[in-house]
């Protein structure tokens, strides 16, 4: 968006569509993480003293709040440029700054607690598997079968004795444990791919959020000085 007037500099603003796509991407990732089969299955099975359930809900609500903040910031910046409004520009900058303040702790937590989610998910599987092995509980057997079907894996290497009986009753037909489809490895691999994608999206969003803060700052000063000179231009999208 640029001003068509010689005396007023061309005013750039953050690409509204880009920030909306970023916001929608974060919202989609948060929704998939919260309602996806693999994650909801582990969350429903996990015990209250397991940290996974807390992380599961916190990630969803934080992601939704962050996505809405980015979309609002982009819309405010766009309207502020069209109307040359200092107030709306300041509000857009505040939204970008708020998103930035939420992204930095999320990135720090991701790298300082990189294995916490992975460990908590595998702890849930270990608990269910060992209970089925010891007691052959029909309820736990159903949960273990659901995990095997969701992750397309079969059992694990256990130091506590023969597990062939458990795997024969809970593994999907056609899954062979000797083929290397250990469930702990499958859970670890699945979560690593998911977390790598989330980390990449987080890094890209931080970069564009800083970009948005810089451009809204420039826009505010541009509108401020042009208002003092009473020079207001017409705007077109190109």
């Amino acid at each position: 968006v640029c001003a068509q007037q010689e005396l007023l500099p061309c005013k750039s603003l953050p690409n509204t569509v880009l920030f909306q796509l970023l916001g929608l991407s974060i919202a989609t990732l948060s929704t998939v993480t919260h309602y996806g089969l693999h994650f909801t299955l582990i969350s429903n099975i996990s015990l209250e003293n397991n940290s996974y359930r807390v992380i599961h809900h916190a990630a969803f609500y934080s992601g939704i709040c962050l996505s809405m903040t980015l979309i609002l910031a982009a819309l405010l910046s766009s309207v502020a440029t069209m109307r040359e409004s200092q107030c709306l520009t300041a509000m857009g900058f505040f939204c970008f700054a708020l998103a930035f303040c939420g992204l930095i702790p999320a990135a720090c937590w991701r790298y300082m607690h990189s294995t916490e989610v992975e460990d908590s998910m595998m702890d849930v599987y270990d608990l269910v598997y060992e209970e089925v092995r010891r007691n052959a509980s029909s309820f736990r057997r159903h949960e273990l079968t659901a995990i095997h079907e969701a992750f397309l894996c079969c059992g694990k290497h256990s130091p506590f004795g023969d597990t062939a009986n458990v795997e024969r009753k809970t593994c999907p037909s056609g899954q062979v444990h000797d083929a290397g489809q250990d469930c702990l490895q499958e859970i670890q691999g699945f979560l690593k791919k998911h977390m790598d994608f989330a980390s990449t999206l987080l890094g890209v969003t931080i970069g564009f959020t800083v970009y948005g803060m810089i451009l809204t700052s420039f826009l505010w000063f541009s509108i401020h000085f042009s208002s003092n000179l009473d020079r207001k231009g017409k705007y077109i999208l190109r």
Side-chain angles (χ1 to χ4, degrees):
V1 179
C2 295
Q4 287 188 325
Q5 189 166 348
E6 294 182 358
L7 297 178
L8 183 63
C10 177
K11 298 176 182 178
S12 300
L13 83 159
N15 191 317
T16 304
V17 176
L18 176 62
F19 280 104
Q20 287 178 339
L21 288 176
L22 277 175
L24 290 175
S25 298
I26 294 174
T28 302
L29 180 64
S30 301
T31 303
V32 169
T33 302
H34 191 262
Y35 294 105
L37 174 62
H38 301 80
F39 298 102
T40 54
L41 183 61
I42 298 295
S43 179
N44 293 334
I45 296 174
S46 64
L47 301 178
E48 292 183 359
N49 59 352
N50 190 293
S51 61
Y52 177 77
R53 187 173 296 182
V54 176
I55 298 172
H56 185 238
H57 291 292
F60 173 70
Y61 293 114
S62 299
I64 293 299
C65 291
L66 178 61
S67 66
M68 297 303 295
T69 303
L70 285 173
I71 293 173
L72 179 61
L75 293 176
L76 286 173
S77 299
S78 179
V79 175
T81 304
M82 300 299 292
R83 296 188 177 183
E84 296 189 16
S85 170
Q86 288 181 264
C87 179
L88 291 177
T89 305
M91 291 174 64
F93 176 84
F94 175 77
C95 288
F96 280 121
L98 189 63
F100 181 79
C101 291
L103 286 165
I104 294 302
C108 291
W109 186 93
R110 168 68 183 92
Y111 288 102
M112 294 177 66
H113 302 269
S114 58
T115 62
E116 186 171 340
V117 179
E118 177 183 303
D119 292 342
S120 62
M121 288 185 74
M122 290 193 292
D123 285 344
V124 173
Y125 181 80
D126 277 332
L127 171 68
V128 175
Y129 190 92
E130 292 304 323
E131 285 195 9
V132 172
R133 189 184 65 82
R134 290 195 303 266
N135 305 320
S137 168
S138 59
F139 179 71
R140 287 300 189 186
R141 187 186 305 141
H142 175 73
E143 293 178 338
L144 186 60
T145 302
I147 294 176
H148 287 164
E149 291 176 350
F151 287 93
L152 298 178
C153 59
C154 183
K156 68 169 187 173
H157 298 288
S158 176
F160 299 108
D162 184 26
T163 59
N165 186 48
V166 175
E167 293 161 8
R168 185 171 58 253
K169 294 180 179 179
T170 60
C171 290
S173 58
Q175 293 291 341
V176 181
H177 179 263
D178 293 336
Q181 293 178 328
D182 184 286
C183 271
L184 295 180
Q185 294 179 0
E186 290 295 317
I187 292 173
Q188 186 178 32
F190 168 81
L191 193 59
K192 185 180 185 303
K193 292 178 182 178
H194 186 83
M195 295 300 286
D196 286 346
F197 179 78
S199 298
T200 302
L201 182 60
L202 190 64
V204 171
T205 305
I206 290 175
F208 278 100
T209 300
V210 174
Y211 167 76
M213 292 169 63
I214 294 173
L215 285 182
T216 47
S217 300
F218 172 79
L219 180 60
W220 188 90
F221 283 108
S222 181
I223 292 174
H224 174 74
F225 289 116
S226 65
S227 296
N228 290 343
L229 295 174
D230 195 25
R231 296 171 182 169
K232 301 227 174 183
K234 296 180 180 180
Y235 293 84
I236 60 170
L237 294 175
R238 67 183 183 184

